[in-house]
Amino acid sequence: MQNSLNCLAIVCEASGRIREVLYNGLKDMENAAGDLFFHDILHQDSMQKAENFWKQLDEQGLALNWELNVQVNGEICTLDFTGVRVQDNMVITAGDSRDILNDLYQELLKVNNEQTNLIREAYKKYSTQAREQQFMEEGNTVLQEMTSLNNELTNAQRELARQIVRLEKLNSQKNFFLGMAAHDLRNPLGSIKLYAELLQEDMKHQLSETGAGMLDKIQSLSRFMLGMVEDLLDVTKIDSGQINLQLENVRPGRVVQDALDPLRMLAREKDISLNCHVLEDLPQVNLDVAKFTQMVTNLLTNAIKYSPSGSTVDVRLYTRDGYLVLDVSDYGQGIPGEEMDRLFAEYQTTSSRPTQGEGSVGLGLAIARRLVEAHDGTIEVQSSQGAGTTFTITLPMHLKSGHDALHKEKKTIEQKPLNFSGRILVAEDEPMNQTILARYLDKMGVEYKLVDNGQKVLQALQEDSFDLILLDIVMPEMSGVEVLQRLRTIEKEQGREKLPVVVMSALDHEEQENFLQAGADDLLPKPFNFQRLQRVLGSILSPEAG
């Protein structure tokens, strides 16, 4: 038998006295039977442990895998002890390992003597209990590992929850500061752009080619920065969950045409043709006009930006299977297939570059997708490198939720006149905006009076008569909202006809709609736009003859 020097098999009485040595691989155990007790064969430092071993063996009938020290050839050796109670006897085996104990039992069973049955019964009991203990140990190990993993998972979930709360707080703070910074930048950037336009108009015959190019660059950069600021404002609102649809029953073809008009100049600057194909007799659909316009604008701006000079951008609006479908196609450089997955991610750009070096912060398409999804629609893209890209928006004709917003039919002006008759009261406290408005109104030949706070508006109305008020919302002493409320109250009490009021504001569409509900007749968003101002005046004032 291998490693026989480190094996031992003895039979002890209940008192602990060694009755018989069945196998002795320990030379120090010669003549042990009848003269020694179990504890006598152990080293002194294992006495306490040996008492516990014997107690378990006596009470439970089985003690497995106890490591006890013995002295072998003058040296201390640790052996694995196992005890089995068979009738009134304690069969105890010891060895270097469990495998050696198994070998020892097998060896003892080959001996055909009166102890064979005793050993066979002890081995049977040992084998059964050993397997059960091994199973339990393995089960306990698995259970401990599962418990450990579960604890780690619980801790990880708690940490993840804490990090999510922290990130949500940081994201909220980021959105707040981005929104605040963008809002504060929008008006001065708009003014820079408008001043550059006015300067270019006044001095177009006096500027050198270099000077004219510099002014063009100022306009281009200010337009880009203004667009970036608008995108930042949009994405901060969207990330904050502030997408409130103001649904109107409208003709989508007209909305698309209106969205194209401001972009035709941008396309002309790059010698790009904008073609619009609208299916005749399109039904009216429920849309948030401002947000649908923004979807169209973002896709068109993107198409123009990546199209080469002399090319075409096609816009198609039609119905398919009960859905409204908008296609915007360019014939530019296309998008690499491996970059399509990140196309609609915020602050992501592709390796394709704008054809005239225009800037991009990677928000336009992300915003378009979020607005489309708010309408329960989808946006898809097909692209081929070197052949162009087509974006397709599909919207349901009738949304399941939402309500019709206040919808006013406004007069359309086929030939927008330059001059209007009537007197206008302009309430604006910002000097730059005053200068721009005065310049625009002078250009249109309109008589006007400028005041810089809400209190002066009411005072001017007492002293003189006007045909229209251009009313800023944020003003000192009395806000535009208070002025509007007081004016409508006075008109109602005195039975006077309502004086048209156009609200001027840099606030978003939803907040501006509140002013319409409060009694305003129209909205003039900031930064100002000459064509928009002309259109607003044309819907209220009469054009001058000639």
Side-chain angles (χ1 to χ4, degrees):
M1 177 181 173
Q2 293 181 354
N3 300 321
S4 59
L5 289 178
N6 294 328
C7 295
L8 174 69
I10 58 176
V11 178
C12 296
E13 299 174 352
S15 63
R17 187 177 68 85
I18 299 175
R19 185 165 68 85
E20 186 175 353
V21 177
L22 303 177
Y23 192 93
N24 179 20
L26 308 179
K27 298 304 181 181
D28 294 357
M29 287 286 300
E30 297 294 344
N31 303 317
D35 297 327
L36 298 177
F37 284 79
F38 171 66
H39 63 268
D40 292 330
I41 66 175
L42 301 174
H43 191 269
Q44 187 176 358
D45 60 7
S46 291
M47 290 302 170
Q48 182 61 49
K49 202 170 180 181
E51 289 183 11
N52 295 330
F53 168 82
W54 190 267
K55 182 178 180 182
Q56 180 179 333
L57 177 60
D58 183 48
E59 293 177 353
Q60 300 180 18
L62 182 70
L64 299 177
N65 307 320
W66 283 71
E67 290 186 348
L68 303 174
N69 291 337
V70 297
Q71 189 162 336
V72 180
N73 297 327
E75 295 182 359
I76 298 175
C77 178
T78 301
L79 299 181
D80 191 350
F81 277 77
T82 291
V84 180
R85 186 176 62 205
V86 181
Q87 299 173 2
D88 295 330
N89 300 298
M90 308 293 191
V91 180
I92 298 174
T93 55
D96 285 330
S97 65
R98 294 181 185 179
D99 291 338
I100 290 179
L101 289 179
N102 280 323
D103 292 344
L104 178 59
Y105 273 114
Q106 295 297 331
E107 195 75 22
L108 293 174
L109 289 174
K110 295 177 183 178
V111 180
N112 189 16
N113 57 29
E114 61 178 327
Q115 302 297 342
T116 300
N117 291 333
L118 188 68
I119 296 301
R120 183 175 288 110
E121 187 175 347
Y123 179 67
K124 180 179 179 182
K125 191 172 183 179
Y126 162 75
S127 300
T128 301
Q129 294 292 335
R131 283 195 299 271
E132 290 178 357
Q133 182 173 357
Q134 182 179 5
F135 177 77
M136 290 178 62
E137 288 176 354
E138 291 175 354
N140 287 336
T141 301
V142 172
L143 181 61
Q144 289 174 359
E145 291 178 356
M146 290 179 65
T147 302
S148 177
L149 288 173
N150 185 61
N151 291 336
E152 290 178 9
L153 179 60
T154 301
N155 292 334
Q157 288 174 331
R158 289 173 180 167
E159 180 62 24
L160 179 61
R162 284 194 292 268
Q163 291 298 330
I164 288 174
V165 171
R166 176 175 171 272
L167 289 174
E168 286 177 345
K169 184 177 180 180
L170 289 174
N171 190 56
S172 178
Q173 292 173 344
K174 177 210 72 176
N175 288 338
F176 173 76
F177 287 115
L178 274 179
M180 184 172 61
H183 188 276
D184 290 343
L185 285 171
R186 179 163 55 179
N187 281 345
L189 282 172
S191 297
I192 291 171
K193 175 178 174 292
L194 293 175
Y195 275 135
E197 290 175 358
L198 295 176
L199 185 61
Q200 190 175 47
E201 185 177 324
D202 283 350
M203 303 186 66
K204 59 183 176 182
H205 299 302
Q206 304 175 40
L207 288 172
S208 65
E209 184 177 345
T210 301
M214 289 180 178
L215 265 183
D216 286 339
K217 194 66 175 175
I218 291 173
Q219 282 187 270
S220 175
L221 289 173
S222 60
R223 184 166 55 231
F224 163 67
M225 293 188 68
L226 194 57
M228 181 173 65
V229 165
E230 296 289 352
D231 284 347
L232 286 172
L233 283 171
D234 289 333
V235 81
T236 53
K237 286 177 63 63
I238 289 171
D239 283 347
S240 301
Q242 301 177 23
I243 306 182
N244 300 314
L245 298 184
Q246 303 292 330
L247 301 181
E248 302 180 47
N249 195 251
V250 297
R251 295 195 179 278
R254 185 61 198 165
V255 179
V256 170
Q257 292 283 5
D258 289 343
L260 259 66
D261 287 343
L263 297 173
R264 293 192 184 279
M265 181 179 296
L266 181 64
R268 279 197 297 270
E269 291 175 358
K270 295 183 68 172
D271 190 26
I272 293 172
S273 298
L274 283 184
N275 296 330
C276 185
H277 311 277
V278 176
L279 182 69
E280 293 184 6
D281 300 324
L282 275 177
Q284 289 187 313
V285 296
N286 283 338
L287 292 172
D288 184 309
V289 175
K291 291 181 174 59
F292 183 62
T293 300
Q294 190 173 5
M295 298 177 208
V296 178
T297 300
N298 285 10
L299 294 187
L300 277 170
T301 302
N302 193 72
I304 294 170
K305 186 184 297 182
Y306 291 94
S307 293
S309 296
S311 64
T312 300
V313 172
D314 288 326
V315 180
R316 289 176 293 275
L317 186 68
Y318 54 97
T319 59
R320 182 177 63 204
D321 299 329
Y323 286 84
L324 182 69
V325 183
L326 173 76
D327 292 335
V328 176
S329 302
D330 67 66
Y331 305 94
Q333 53 199 298
I335 304 165
E338 64 273 12
E339 299 179 11
M340 299 284 275
D341 289 343
R342 69 169 187 263
L343 197 59
F344 295 102
E346 294 175 4
Y347 306 105
Q348 294 289 324
T349 57
T350 66
S351 58
S352 301
R353 290 291 173 258
T355 52
Q356 288 190 359
E358 299 98 325
S360 175
V361 291
L363 287 175
L365 294 178
I367 292 170
R369 185 193 66 176
R370 299 286 285 275
L371 296 179
V372 168
E373 291 173 348
H375 281 81
D376 292 335
T378 60
I379 182 169
E380 299 173 329
V381 58
Q382 291 183 332
S383 187
S384 177
Q385 282 193 273
T389 302
T390 296
F391 287 91
T392 299
I393 291 176
T394 304
L395 302 177
M397 301 285 279
H398 303 286
L399 299 184
K400 295 179 181 179
S401 59
H403 63 278
D404 286 345
L406 180 65
H407 180 58
K408 296 182 179 291
E409 292 292 337
K410 301 182 178 62
K411 292 185 292 181
T412 57
I413 307 168
E414 299 299 331
Q415 301 294 328
K416 296 184 178 67
L418 184 60
N419 296 337
F420 299 97
S421 62
R423 300 188 73 244
I424 300 177
L425 177 59
V426 180
E428 171 61 63
D429 66 310
E430 175 55 51
M432 285 192 300
N433 290 334
Q434 288 179 354
T435 301
I436 293 167
L437 281 171
R439 177 62 181 270
Y440 283 169
L441 294 175
D442 286 338
K443 186 175 180 180
M444 289 185 278
V446 181
E447 185 181 349
Y448 61 89
K449 179 176 182 177
L450 274 169
V451 294
D452 59 7
N453 67 59
Q455 194 66 50
K456 290 180 181 179
V457 173
L458 297 179
Q459 183 180 344
L461 290 173
Q462 291 177 347
E463 298 172 351
D464 208 343
S465 61
F466 299 91
D467 300 294
L468 171 66
I469 302 177
L470 294 178
L471 183 64
D472 187 24
I473 292 300
V474 182
M475 291 188 297
E477 296 191 28
M478 185 183 295
S479 71
V481 176
E482 292 178 274
V483 171
L484 181 59
Q485 291 172 340
R486 289 199 186 186
L487 175 61
R488 294 306 184 221
T489 300
I490 292 171
E491 291 171 339
K492 186 175 181 180
E493 291 173 349
Q494 298 180 0
R496 287 162 41 186
E497 186 178 349
K498 288 176 62 176
L499 179 62
V501 176
V502 175
V503 168
M504 303 183 295
S505 173
L507 299 175
D508 58 60
H509 178 72
E510 288 83 358
E511 293 167 314
Q512 291 175 1
E513 286 290 339
N514 294 332
F515 302 128
L516 291 179
Q517 299 282 1
D521 296 272
D522 209 339
L523 306 169
L524 183 63
K526 296 180 181 180
F528 300 120
N529 176 280
F530 179 77
Q531 288 75 20
R532 179 64 184 268
L533 176 61
Q534 201 171 357
R535 190 160 55 246
V536 168
L537 296 186
S539 68
I540 298 174
L541 300 179
S542 300
E544 283 188 348

